[in-house]
Amino acid sequence: MPWAEADFQATASSNGVIGQSKQLSSPLSGILKKYKLKTTSGCQSRIHPPNLLVTRVSDPSDRVEINLNIADCTDYEQDITPPFHVQCGQAYQITLTSKEFGSSEPVSGSAGVYYTLWFEL
């Protein structure tokens, strides 16, 4: 089930870095299981090292950080290991950054984080 899933558009900085950040509230308790990422512009067979960071706003030490390497315009889907627990009603900051783009290059793509439900008794 998607928790956060969206297309994105960004413009790389002068040193070729893009960044997107969004704060979400978790409507239910769950376990983040996997993520997907793909760029859909600038298909030049380059490799980019994205960083995905999910942080609980009320406790910044409760976080998961994922570093990877993906090729331009290639679908990338991976399990989050170990799975990360999100708590009902808590706010989380989701930040995606990547580099190795051209200076001021427009970058588009899609990204998603998916979870399964769990219940607290």
Side-chain angles (χ1 to χ4, degrees), residues 18-31:
I18 63 166
Q20 296 278 307
S21 188
K22 185 173 189 174
Q23 185 170 304
L24 297 174
S25 179
S26 181
L28 300 167
S29 293
I31 301 171

Side-chain angles (χ1 to χ4, degrees), residues 56-77:
R56 184 161 45 116
V57 173
S58 65
D59 180 5
S61 67
D62 186 16
R63 60 192 249 163
V64 62
E65 184 171 8
I66 301 162
N67 293 293
L68 51 136
N69 289 306
I70 65 166
D72 281 335
C73 302
T74 301
D75 284 311
Y76 191 83
E77 181 177 329

